[in-house]
Amino acid sequence: MSSNNNSRTLLVIALVVVVVAGTVPATVAGQAERTGGTVVVEEGETVDSLEAFGGTVIVEGTVTGDVSAVAGDVRIEGDVEGDLEAVGGSVTIAGTVQGDVEAASGSVTITEEGVVGGTTSIGAGTVVVDGTLEGDAEIGAETIQLGEGASIAGDLRYGGTLEGNTDAVAGTIKQDSSVGVDVAPTIQPIASWLFAAYALALNLVLGAALLALFPRFSDGVASRAASTPGRSGLVGLGVLLGVPVLLVAVALTVIGIPFSVVGAFLFALAVWLGLVYGRFAVGAWLLSLVGVGNRWLALVVGLVIGAALGLVPYVGDLLNLLVLLLGVGALAVGLFGHWRTARERDRESRGGVGPGGPTTD
């Protein structure tokens, strides 16, 4: 029995490492196509080209070819010798792009150190240019801010409100309301769907591992969340608010910093588990309304609904937060109950073999 438990534990650790690996920094080498929480071309590293999809894409080294990135945050801090195509929540060029730049984002920033050698085409909510654009520029945004350090060697065609240092433009300046209109609204929803699909795939892998390895415990968490949603939600709220405070308090002791760092990682993992369990519970409850009791189908239904809600502004975020509280609370209660049962068994075992014989309460 002990051997089976050890094997199961090792398998769980392996699966968690594989799943979590999709959310931690991924370093690239050579010609790269990478997905991950953070994709990095490190300082001093050189790759031929980069196609990346992740929460954050950072180029600190050198890419001798083109860069195509879809991410929540795209940062170019090194040298891109080819073109840059970027779609994300924010795009920052604080290095050099020797070719053309095409970007669709909520915000685009070209810092004082940023240089674009080719043409620049941007569709965004806000654009700030403090760096150097050596070619022509087409920028469509609600607000376009040209800083004092900005320099545009070619012409500027823009749509939106142009503010700041217009003397930075060496060529002609022409307003065109069509600039940027077709680009950002078309690409940004695609990026949102890609992010949702990526997160859904990770959650499915983690959820499948949990159901396969801990079927009884997983069913218990779902049942607890459905039968006592108020209690589970309050416990989840207490965990989400209390644990970070505790970790900060431990870190303030200085000697507790390593424990706080490990605790933060475990807390983040627990929150992720709680989110998956919460959506699994919702899926199981919905299927129970039509008389279906398949846990695998419940997992898929719950996660798909959660991913779809993530695409709905405000209301979807609120509902997903409630599901998170539900899942974290049910998971915390389940783990506490499992720990208490194990402790009582250990106490009974010790009492039965003690020198005075078994004890009774």
Side-chain angles (χ1 to χ4, degrees):
M1 188 61 146
S2 176
S3 176
N4 290 337
N5 288 336
N6 289 337
S7 298
R8 173 174 288 187
T9 300
L10 290 174
L11 182 56
V12 172
I13 293 173
L15 285 171
V16 168
V17 169
V18 170
V19 174
V20 173
T23 66
V24 298
T27 303
V28 299
Q31 186 172 358
E33 295 182 6
R34 291 291 186 270
T35 62
T38 302
V39 177
V40 183
V41 177
E42 296 181 348
E43 185 176 0
E45 182 182 9
T46 300
V47 299
D48 297 333
S49 63
L50 176 65
E51 294 182 4
F53 173 75
T56 303
V57 175
I58 304 174
V59 176
E60 297 175 339
T62 300
V63 180
T64 59
D66 298 335
V67 173
S68 297
V70 178
D73 183 21
V74 179
R75 296 187 59 85
I76 306 299
E77 300 174 356
D79 187 10
V80 177
E81 297 180 3
D83 299 332
L84 169 66
E85 295 181 355
V87 177
S90 65
V91 175
T92 302
I93 299 176
T96 300
V97 178
Q98 298 183 24
D100 300 334
V101 169
E102 295 184 4
S105 177
S107 65
V108 175
T109 301
I110 301 174
T111 69
E112 292 183 1
E113 298 79 15
V115 177
V116 177
T119 60
T120 302
S121 301
I122 298 174
T126 59
V127 176
V128 176
V129 179
D130 281 316
T132 301
L133 307 183
E134 297 179 349
D136 296 333
E138 292 187 359
I139 302 175
E142 293 181 7
T143 303
I144 304 165
Q145 180 70 42
L146 301 181
E148 291 301 320
S151 174
I152 301 178
D155 299 332
L156 171 63
R157 193 159 65 97
Y158 75 96
T161 301
L162 180 63
E163 302 175 349
N165 179 24
T166 55
D167 292 336
V169 182
T172 61
I173 299 176
K174 180 179 180 181
Q175 184 175 19
D176 185 344
S177 59
S178 67
V179 175
V181 172
D182 296 331
V183 179
T186 300
I187 299 181
Q188 288 175 346
I190 296 176
S192 298
W193 279 100
L194 287 174
F195 284 122
Y198 174 67
L200 175 61
L202 286 180
N203 289 336
L204 280 172
V205 172
L206 178 60
L210 293 172
L211 295 189
L213 298 170
F214 308 110
R216 292 177 57 188
F217 180 81
S218 299
D219 289 343
V221 171
S223 176
R224 190 176 300 108
S227 60
T228 57
R231 179 190 177 193
S232 296
L234 288 175
V235 171
L237 180 62
V239 170
L240 290 182
L241 295 179
V243 173
V245 174
L246 178 61
L247 291 174
V248 171
V250 171
L252 290 177
T253 65
V254 181
I255 61 174
I257 291 178
F259 299 99
S260 181
V261 171
V262 174
F265 174 80
L266 295 177
F267 175 64
L269 181 59
V271 170
W272 188 13
L273 293 173
L275 176 64
V276 172
Y277 270 134
R279 293 180 177 181
F280 168 60
V282 170
W285 174 72
L286 289 174
L287 290 181
S288 70
L289 298 179
V290 293
V292 177
N294 188 307
R295 65 164 63 96
W296 299 102
L297 182 59
L299 175 67
V300 174
V301 169
L303 290 179
V304 169
I305 290 176
L309 287 175
L311 298 173
V312 180
Y314 307 118
V315 175
D317 293 337
L318 176 60
L319 292 176
N320 268 328
L321 175 60
L322 294 177
V323 171
L324 172 63
L325 294 177
L326 192 68
V328 170
L331 175 62
V333 172
L335 290 174
F336 177 76
H338 182 74
W339 171 80
R340 185 172 59 182
T341 300
R343 189 181 64 170
E344 290 176 354
R345 288 177 180 173
D346 183 62
R347 184 180 299 170
E348 291 175 0
S349 175
R350 291 181 180 180
V353 297
T359 59
T360 58
D361 292 333

